[in-house]
Amino acid sequence: MLVITTGAAWFLLLTGAALRLRPGPDRLGRPLSPAEAALLRGGGRAAAQTGMVELYLAGSVEAGWQQTVRPAKALLPRPCSEVARAQYHALYGARHPRGLLRDSERVQEAVHAMSAELERARLMVSRRRVWCVRVLLLPVCAAPLGSPRWLGLLAALGAAALWIWPRRTLRGSALLAKMRLDHAGAREATVQQPDQLLLSVALFGTAALRAQLPRFAEESGLLTRPPREPMDRGGSGSGEPFASCGG
């Protein structure tokens, strides 16, 4: 039976932490857009959700029948995020909003490009890096640990925390926390303040949608799963239908 020494466990843990958290300066050099802030907070689904709210506040989409969205009378807002633009051009008829991210390559590519930019800015890490770190930490989590046991247990707990840590780096988490603090007043915004309302949705997600856009959130299906297609029974999918190729 393989036994991991305490020293080896801590070496793997510290190596994994350096790869996973990527401490260092912010390389973006500009404020985050609402869609980027949403991506940092909750991944691709949050970014697509924020892009859809961006279109709704501009009058470009509206809630459809049975928890769907459909094109409205207004044209594509200018300027707008690339995620919102991709969803606008991918929306033909009434669709469930999450179905656009699941089925549209154009929307997936827009989210992927935005994710890659935040990875280069050291605010996020790629999915490939996340899985590489998990493989590195697997012996710490799975193999029996040597003595002293309490140090080994601390290493195992640290590995478990890194295993479930979101894709944000330390810098990304600090930036998100600062934005939430600086823009706490956005949680009181109404549709007459679309920029602040969009920022609230980007930073606070579901809570902001339910409190500030309850009717649209309910009628559009933004907070529900898309219905399964007939050939999709019993299948399973990942939380986001794309993977980053960054290192």
Side-chain angles (χ1 to χ4, degrees):
M1 177 183 296
L2 176 64
V3 177
I4 300 295
T5 66
T6 301
W10 275 95
F11 173 78
L12 292 175
L13 175 62
L14 294 176
T15 302
L19 291 172
R20 184 67 180 78
L21 301 178
R22 297 191 73 183
D26 175 9
R27 296 178 176 177
L28 194 61
R30 58 171 176 78
L32 291 181
S33 69
E36 290 171 333
L39 179 65
L40 195 62
R41 170 183 59 81
R45 284 180 180 171
Q49 189 181 74
T50 301
M52 189 59 66
V53 171
E54 183 179 354
L55 294 175
Y56 169 72
L57 293 175
S60 301
V61 301
E62 61 187 5
W65 185 60
Q66 289 189 336
Q67 295 192 320
T68 59
V69 290
R70 63 189 180 191
K73 294 182 180 180
L75 298 177
L76 182 70
R78 296 181 184 275
C80 68
S81 67
E82 289 302 315
V83 174
R85 184 186 305 275
Q87 290 182 103
Y88 179 83
H89 289 298
L91 185 60
Y92 296 97
R95 293 287 306 276
H96 191 282
R98 284 196 187 180
L100 289 174
L101 178 61
R102 181 190 63 190
D103 301 331
S104 171
E105 290 187 7
R106 184 169 187 166
V107 177
Q108 294 171 21
E109 289 172 358
V111 176
H112 178 97
M114 189 165 55
S115 178
E117 186 171 5
L118 295 188
E119 290 166 19
R120 289 192 295 270
R122 303 179 73 96
L123 298 176
M124 295 178 65
V125 293
S126 69
R127 287 184 169 276
R128 177 176 296 180
R129 183 182 289 263
V130 169
W131 282 106
C132 287
V133 170
R134 286 180 175 177
V135 170
L136 184 69
L137 295 176
L138 191 60
V140 183
C141 296
L145 299 172
S147 58
R149 297 299 300 272
W150 67 273
L151 274 178
L153 181 59
L154 284 178
L157 291 174
L162 281 180
W163 189 283
I164 63 175
W165 191 270
R167 289 177 62 198
R168 295 189 298 270
T169 63
L170 289 176
R171 175 63 185 173
S173 294
L175 179 59
L176 181 62
K178 184 177 185 303
M179 289 185 69
R180 283 174 164 169
L181 183 63
D182 292 344
H183 300 284
R187 304 193 73 170
E188 305 297 327
T190 66
V191 291
Q192 283 73 42
Q193 303 164 292
D195 292 343
Q196 287 297 303
L197 181 50
L198 181 63
L199 190 58
S200 178
V201 171
L203 293 175
F204 303 105
T206 299
L209 280 170
R210 287 178 172 163
Q212 296 169 273
L213 286 173
R215 183 172 179 178
F216 178 68
E218 174 65 25
E219 295 179 353
S220 67
L222 270 179
L223 301 179
T224 65
R225 293 178 180 272
R228 290 179 178 267
E229 300 294 338
M231 296 300 293
D232 191 35
R233 294 176 182 174
S236 60
S238 62
E240 297 172 24
F242 60 90
S244 174
C245 296

